[in-house]
Amino acid sequence: MRIGLVGVGRIGASHAQVVRDHPEVTELVLADADAARAAKVAADLGVRAVETPEQAYENVDAVVIAAATAAHAELLIAAARRGLPAFCEKPVAPDIAGTVRVLDEVRRAGIPNQIGFQRRFDAGYAAAREAVRTGKIGGLRRAHLVTADAEPPPPGYIPTSGGIFRDCHVHDFDILRWVTGREVVEVYAIGAARGAPEFAESGDVDQSAALLTLDDDTVVTLQGSRYNGAGYDVRMEVAGTEGTYAVGLDDHTALVSTEPDVTFPAGEPFREFWSRFLPAYQAEINAFVDVAAGTRPSACTVADALESFYIAEAATRSRVEHRPVRIEEVRIG
Ligand SMILES: NC(=O)c1ccc[n+]([C@@H]2O[C@H](COP(=O)([O-])OP(=O)(O)OC[C@H]3O[C@@H](n4cnc5c(N)ncnc54)[C@H](O)[C@@H]3O)[C@@H](O)[C@H]2O)c1
């Protein structure tokens, strides 16, 4: 399979290595709006770079889109119109209208796509989903999610990110739906900007929390940070009438127990997303190669991404307007 990959920044360069190493990938071409960056990453990986993103769509069987968020929609639509299966990093577009437009286009084209919610390929989240689905936890009653970055993204990224709920917690919203099999009906979100001035200047926050209600009255809490001194901390708990399961609780967990004689966790915390989720990133690319070959359905479509984006939109509006927001309030159509 020949793959064109567009966008070789923080995550694109890492995805490129995974794509290059896939046994069924015979050719990988890289492109970026910054052609010099594409050339440098291509040289490092021993693959070919092309001058423009358009050229990365020529003579390939599928594309991987890891460019900046603002470019996703046009790149996904261009792939659909050319009949090219596409993997695209989240989010699909910076806003709901743009996401709906992409959904219309890819549905019309009937070309498969997969959006980069890698937690769906993480063993811990998959086990939590299984525990909920099979009833091992009993009836689901509560969930708790944490996504805390050890360090903030580069200052230039912050104004383009769409804010912490659309950029970061959209992963929590996606995995909440996937693990519980339920839909969010209402969210109340708060936050504070206590770090770099770029957060406040772009109307964003670097500390976040939210309360969410699911359609079966399950109650959910969420916390996040762009500055978690303890390390990169991504966890989820699902609590039911028979038991509570925890994702992300291992020897790398960025927590210190205050109990006497407790040595857990024994290892070092992760510092960033790539090392924490490497097996999941590899599994999602493996899955996409099968999706592109037509041998398995997509595990995360644009339609799925739209649902989690509605929750992120409602959370953003809730924080700004200091009130609970129902998901139906932001839904289009
Ligand atoms: N799934 C995850 O865990 C995860 C983690 C980090 C980032 N992301 C997503 O990946 C995307 C990229 O994030 P990043 O941190 O790598 O950003 P980045 O700023 O490091 O890299 C973005 C790259 O895209 C290039 N670019 C911008 N516009 C382009 C265009 N029109 N055509 C081609 N290239 C273009 C830039 O030159 C840059 O090289 C974002 O949408 C982000 O939401 C996902």
Side-chain angles (χ1 to χ4, degrees):
M1 183 173 292
R2 299 163 304 168
I3 302 222
L5 187 149
V6 179
V8 290
R10 269 191 319 167
I11 198 158
S14 300
H15 277 315
Q17 195 167 337
V18 175
V19 174
R20 180 201 63 182
D21 293 342
H22 192 286
E24 279 167 43
V25 173
T26 52
E27 191 183 355
L28 170 64
V29 289
L30 306 184
D32 195 286
D34 179 346
R37 182 176 295 168
K40 158 108 186 46
V41 175
D44 289 347
L45 295 181
V47 299
R48 194 160 63 86
V50 286
E51 285 292 312
T52 65
E54 294 72 33
Q55 287 169 350
Y57 281 46
E58 289 166 11
N59 303 316
V60 294
D61 303 303
V63 292
V64 171
I65 300 164
T69 295
H72 293 179
E74 292 314 319
L75 289 166
L76 269 168
I77 290 171
R81 288 182 181 168
R82 276 176 164 259
L84 288 173
F87 171 91
C88 183
E89 261 310 333
K90 43 57 62 178
V92 167
D95 57 18
I96 288 176
T99 312
V100 169
R101 191 166 75 89
V102 174
L103 181 58
D104 289 345
E105 288 266 1
V106 297
R107 277 200 173 139
R108 198 172 308 130
I111 304 299
N113 52 68
Q114 183 182 324
I115 306 304
F117 286 104
Q118 82 281 356
R119 293 185 194 180
R120 291 184 178 219
F121 295 90
D122 176 84
Y125 286 104
R129 173 181 155 103
E130 184 70 7
V132 173
R133 297 277 160 122
T134 58
K136 269 196 228 159
I137 67 160
L140 178 66
R141 294 292 181 267
R142 288 172 288 117
H144 178 59
L145 301 116
V146 177
T147 295
D149 290 331
E151 279 102 26
Y157 181 91
I158 296 165
T160 68
S161 75
I164 198 166
F165 292 104
R166 295 189 190 96
D167 183 51
C168 189
H169 290 307
V170 74
H171 282 288
D172 297 298
F173 302 143
D174 176 70
I175 210 66
L176 177 63
R177 296 182 63 243
W178 191 75
V179 167
T180 64
R182 312 298 323 182
E183 297 297 342
V184 174
V185 292
E186 187 179 82
V187 54
Y188 180 60
I190 58 173
R194 306 182 65 178
E198 285 80 6
F199 287 105
E201 285 163 13
S202 49
D204 194 6
V205 292
D206 49 70
Q207 310 295 325
S208 50
L211 303 173
L212 302 102
T213 311
L214 305 189
D215 58 3
D216 64 347
D217 274 344
T218 295
V219 292
V220 181
T221 52
L222 166 74
Q223 282 188 23
S225 175
R226 296 289 202 180
Y227 293 89
N228 195 48
Y232 182 67
D233 189 12
V234 175
R235 284 179 287 124
M236 180 179 193
E237 286 174 18
V238 281
T241 53
E242 306 294 328
T244 300
Y245 280 56
V247 181
L249 199 61
D250 63 9
D251 280 330
H252 298 286
T253 305
L255 285 176
V256 174
S257 171
T258 58
E259 300 304 324
D261 305 325
V262 173
T263 54
F264 169 86
E268 287 297 309
F270 293 112
R271 297 301 298 177
E272 38 63 51
F273 52 80
W274 193 259
S275 41
R276 160 72 171 85
F277 283 112
L278 179 58
Y281 289 122
Q282 289 167 328
E284 74 175 353
I285 291 297
N286 290 346
F288 173 64
V289 170
D290 294 344
V291 169
T295 57
R296 85 190 240 184
S298 171
C300 190
T301 62
V302 173
D304 290 317
L306 176 60
E307 289 304 319
S308 50
F309 202 80
Y310 280 136
I311 307 168
E313 188 72 21
T316 306
R317 191 179 294 185
S318 168
R319 181 187 67 77
V320 171
E321 298 182 7
H322 300 288
R323 64 179 180 91
V325 172
R326 294 184 69 79
I327 305 307
E328 64 199 29
E329 202 185 301
V330 299
R331 194 175 279 282
I332 294 179

